[in-house]
Amino acid sequence: MIRTCKLTLLCLSLLCFSAQAAAEPRVSQLTPVDLEFMQNQRLSIDELARSHFGQQINGDKANDLSIIQKLLDRGVIDAEQTLELQALGLVLGDLLAADLGMVWVIYEDKLGRSRALRMPKTDYYLFPVTMIARRVEADAPVDALAVYDKAYQLTLPHKPALPFQ
């Protein structure tokens, strides 16, 4: 009886271990196809900004967040345009990456494959591609600056300290 219990516990622990290992995400570098797709998304938002407002996406936080907000507020991009909404999230992510020192990666888990930002030397990830899209698709108001600020403040404590600090 005791031997059977030990064998059962061993089998259960192995099962739990293998389930845990299978549940862990796989993280990899962006492929050339990912890089091209992301660049095309950036260009699509830049083109919309140029044609509607005579402005361009330039990596400046105030400028780019203002453009995101105007594109949403003026109905240039609506809830049915998922790819464009995700492109807005990519622009938002580029700002976060620049300000926090994060890098774009591919994050794969049981839910699928996503483009994510990773804090180097940590297992901390952000998923900015969907931060705006999910809000718009849920018919929730979007304040681009507030979305940026919240993501920034939640991530900042996970930023590794520089040497000698």
Side-chain angles (χ1 to χ4, degrees), residues 52-67:
H52 287 273
F53 313 123
Q55 296 177 284
Q56 64 185 32
I57 297 294
N58 63 13
D60 176 76
K61 182 173 75 171
N63 177 74
D64 292 0
L65 291 175
S66 172
I67 289 171

Side-chain angles (χ1 to χ4, degrees), residues 45-138:
I45 297 304
D46 188 59
E47 186 176 310
L48 285 173
R50 288 172 188 260
S51 65
H52 287 273
F53 313 123
Q55 296 177 284
Q56 64 185 32
I57 297 294
N58 63 13
D60 176 76
K61 182 173 75 171
N63 177 74
D64 292 0
L65 291 175
S66 172
I67 289 171
I68 290 170
Q69 195 67 54
K70 283 195 264 188
L71 288 168
L72 294 170
D73 290 348
R74 297 185 186 171
V76 176
I77 299 175
D78 63 35
E80 304 301 318
Q81 296 173 282
T82 302
L83 283 176
E84 290 83 357
L85 291 170
Q86 290 177 351
L88 291 177
L90 179 69
V91 171
L92 175 78
D94 286 342
L95 296 172
L96 289 163
D99 290 347
L100 291 164
M102 299 180 85
V103 294
W104 284 104
V105 296
I106 296 300
Y107 183 98
E108 293 180 79
D109 62 10
K110 63 183 178 181
L111 299 177
R113 185 177 189 275
S114 302
R115 288 166 285 142
L117 287 176
R118 181 180 192 177
M119 183 64 69
K121 300 179 184 177
T122 73
D123 286 328
Y124 190 82
Y125 300 89
L126 281 179
F127 298 87
V129 172
T130 57
M131 285 180 180
I132 293 172
R134 289 187 183 209
R135 287 171 172 81
V136 172
E137 290 167 352

Side-chain angles (χ1 to χ4, degrees), residues 36-47:
E36 183 178 351
F37 178 76
M38 291 168 70
Q39 186 59 25
N40 287 336
Q41 283 192 301
R42 290 178 186 102
L43 291 173
S44 72
I45 297 304
D46 188 59
E47 186 176 310

